[in-house]
Amino acid sequence: MAGVVWRGDFETGDRSQYSRAQMVNANRLQVVTSPVAEGQYALKATVYQGDDPINASGNRNELVYISNEPVGSEYYYRWKVMFANDFPSVDTWQLFTQWHHDGCCGSPPVEFYVKGEEIRLSLPGTSEIPWRTKLTRGVWHEFILHAKWSSDPKVGFVELWHNKELVLPKRGAMTMYSGQRNYLKLGLYRSDTVRPVGVVYHDGFMQATALSDVLEQEPEPEPPPVDAGTPVDAGAPMDAGSPMDAGSVDPDPVDAGGAEEPQPDAGTPDRDAGTVPRPNVPPPGGISPDEGVAAQAGCSSTGGSAAAFALLGLMGLAGYRRRGH
């Protein structure tokens, strides 16, 4: 991120992000893989009574980062701290993070420390303890400090978030000593009167120019796949039937309403029968054509064999007509 000025999060796997170490030996400031607050590495700071690597007051094992923030500069700092389950409860000071002045003596202008069962922010230059909270061991505490560095309390200020909650709104403060610059120290520095071993873990330190740069970016959840719904069933495709062959004749055409079978054209003479006889209509003169034929053949017009022949003629003609349909 463009606004990040520096990282001291130990993700290099060592202490190389810092300017130097003040420790009696390497096992007092160990880069570890568990526990960690983020990433893969964290710092385990351990202090035994008598640890005094710089021959000064108190006991300590600390990392130093020479940041040299200029007068009037303004930054956001974010880091995480966890106190071991057996961290000592004593009625004296045990510093875990401080912005120290580059002069020789005195308390630093900004310091975070434990006293008894409290975590405190102190501004020794103004004899203020503007914020405190209960010490909870075995959990990670996240701090975000917003500071403007100045020896003038009308210019300098501090603002603090603890575990993502704004616990100290912006307030004016003397954050530097006149004519001196600050630098960062973290680990554990405590009164030499403390006997039990003290262990503190540090992780994720970063310095940036904007609050948005130090806020942890939660990964955005992947949106659930859009359910396009079950495709609408348009129904089984309609069977349009087999295409009709316009050149084939349906062997069983649909009855279009009982149309009669075509009859021979009544105006066309029958191939052999001549004029179609009308046996129920008496011919002129009362003699049927069959009777006329019989008469011509020499039969009596009064009956007898002539009548029989006439009857036989009618029966034969009727049978012929049936065959002609």
Side-chain angles (χ1 to χ4, degrees):
M1 295 177 287
V4 175
V5 175
W6 174 74
R7 290 183 184 274
D9 55 9
F10 307 104
E11 289 307 297
T12 55
D14 54 28
R15 299 184 297 267
S16 61
Q17 294 165 310
Y18 290 80
S19 304
R20 62 177 181 265
Q22 295 176 342
M23 59 184 179
V24 293
N25 59 54
N27 67 2
R28 298 294 204 268
L29 294 175
Q30 293 179 298
V31 176
V32 297
T33 56
S34 179
V36 297
E38 58 186 67
Q40 299 182 45
Y41 301 99
L43 177 74
K44 179 183 178 181
T46 305
V47 172
Y48 288 77
Q49 188 177 32
D51 285 351
D52 185 8
I54 62 173
N55 195 27
S57 64
N59 295 156
R60 77 183 77 212
N61 290 293
E62 294 180 291
L63 288 177
V64 176
Y65 174 59
I66 305 299
S67 51
N68 286 330
E69 287 90 347
V71 175
S73 62
E74 180 181 342
Y75 294 102
Y76 289 84
Y77 306 86
R78 191 262 289 176
W79 72 108
K80 298 178 181 181
V81 180
M82 184 169 71
F83 302 92
N85 291 326
D86 59 355
F87 188 81
S89 179
V90 291
D91 190 23
T92 188
W93 51 272
Q94 302 184 84
L95 274 69
F96 57 90
T97 307
Q98 56 176 314
W99 277 263
H100 202 285
H101 54 295
D102 58 9
C104 69
C105 308
S107 296
V110 178
E111 60 185 14
F112 287 82
Y113 68 98
V114 172
K115 183 175 183 181
E117 291 297 307
E118 284 188 344
I119 300 173
R120 298 180 180 183
L121 164 65
S122 177
L123 304 173
T126 52
S127 302
E128 290 184 282
I129 302 175
W131 173 78
R132 67 186 73 199
T133 193
K134 180 182 177 181
L135 169 64
T136 306
R137 297 169 176 83
V139 298
W140 288 99
H141 296 262
E142 181 188 71
F143 299 93
I144 297 176
L145 174 68
H146 179 201
K148 187 168 185 176
W149 302 109
S150 174
S151 60
D152 183 349
K154 295 180 181 179
V155 177
F157 63 76
V158 292
E159 186 177 21
L160 181 66
W161 287 260
H162 177 242
N163 293 338
K164 304 186 186 306
E165 179 184 356
L166 179 62
V167 294
L168 179 63
K170 186 186 296 184
R171 58 171 295 167
M174 184 181 73
T175 54
M176 302 179 79
Y177 294 134
S178 180
Q180 301 184 42
R181 290 191 176 185
N182 293 344
Y183 60 93
L184 172 68
K185 300 183 75 176
L186 61 81
L188 183 58
Y189 167 47
R190 68 187 193 180
S191 168
D192 56 14
T193 63
V194 181
R195 288 177 171 270
V197 176
V199 175
V200 180
Y201 298 90
H202 292 263
D203 200 0
F205 202 104
M206 62 190 303
Q207 175 184 354
T209 57
L211 178 61
S212 59
D213 294 328
V214 298
L215 293 176
E216 287 187 273
Q217 302 298 318
E218 297 292 339
E220 296 184 7
E222 293 185 7
V226 177
D227 185 358
T230 304
V232 176
D233 186 357
M238 183 180 293
D239 186 358
S242 301
M244 182 179 290
D245 185 354
S248 302
V249 178
D250 190 343
D252 188 13
V254 177
D255 186 351
E260 293 184 0
E261 233 179 310
Q263 301 294 327
D265 190 348
T268 303
D270 197 276
R271 287 176 296 177
D272 298 319
T275 303
V276 178
R278 291 181 291 173
N280 295 328
V281 181
I287 301 173
S288 69
D290 293 7
E291 291 177 334
V293 170
Q296 292 173 9
C299 297
S300 171
S301 61
T302 60
S305 59
F309 280 107
L311 179 59
L312 290 171
L314 288 171
M315 291 176 64
L317 182 59
Y320 183 81
R321 288 187 67 217
R322 281 194 296 272
R323 290 191 299 272
H325 284 171

